[in-house]
Amino acid sequence: MLKGRNLIDPMDFSLKELEEVFQLADSIIENPQQYSEVAKGKILATLFYEPSTRTRLSFEAAMLRLGGQVLGFSDANSSSVSKGESVADTIRTISCYADVAAMRHPKEGSAMVASIYSTIPVINAGDGGHQHPTQTLTDLLTIRRTKGDFTNNVIAICGDLKFGRTVHSLVKALSRYKNNKFLLVSPNELRIPDYIKKEVLEKNNIEFVELEKLEDAMQEADILYMTRVQKERFFNEDDYVRLKDRYILNKEMMDLAKKDMIVLHPLPRVNEISYEVDNDERAIYFQQAKYGMYVRMALMAKLMGVCE
Ligand code: CP
């Protein structure tokens, strides 16, 4: 039962509960009209302390397409946060006005703190370099609809594996399914954190290798998950400039890949996928962004208890 629950970490839901969300998302995709008024009278609050295009707007589009309404802020400076209000007091107040809240914050753990003080469901829309569970729902729905299920895949993840919260959430989520292998492609400085390696991959006996060259992953990958270098998490601009263009996926590299490989990217893209790749039918990152709206519709409908 997901009614009234929070989503802070991708592991908060059981596999059965995740499957229920995906089945509802499938049903919404097949028959959106059937769901166009299920959230009539409900309000989503979007509390975005960090910039966003896809996450905030797909949450808002999702609620509007369910027949509900939205309020919130996209810049903390336009709210009383600029006067020093705490996350705890902000969410206590928002709980008086809305039925569900999606929150993005630069500090790791902020969404969890909000969930402690909230009386409405809190959805983590990204907390610092930590987790981004609704991006993971988006990624999983995309994989499910193209590959059929979440097992028996070689998943290459390339770019900023240190700061990329979408990567941390995706590895955690996919580690629950059988017979997957990870190719973790990054510069030495941007390797996946040790806690993911030890507590997620090694603990669950999941095969993985760390690579520095993307070319070395192209032939084996069933799924290629590209990420940008997270400029906003660097302390030193020179380090960012040195690392930002290390990987650029281009047509020649795509020629090395399997015919049924898929390329995902949480977006925004900076330089890491050449525009020429967009025309390749295996490049499905904009379709992925659309699935993000549908899976957020399903998620909110479940948390508000307006759909079984
Ligand atoms: N994928 C993602 O989180 O994009 P935004 O930062 O635009 O929300």
Side-chain angles (χ1 to χ4, degrees), residues 250-267:
N250 59 24
K251 192 175 174 310
E252 286 68 43
M253 290 164 93
M254 289 294 287
D255 289 344
L256 301 173
K258 293 180 182 173
K259 298 286 172 245
D260 63 348
M261 182 200 66
I262 54 171
V263 184
L264 305 182
H265 191 312
L267 304 176

Side-chain angles (χ1 to χ4, degrees), residues 48 51-57 104 125 132 135 165-166 228 265-268 296:
F48 276 62
S52 167
T53 296
R54 274 143 296 275
T55 310
R56 184 172 65 83
L57 296 181
R104 170 171 289 188
H132 192 347
Q135 180 63 50
R165 57 194 174 197
T166 66
R228 80 185 160 93
H265 191 312
L267 304 176
R296 288 177 175 109

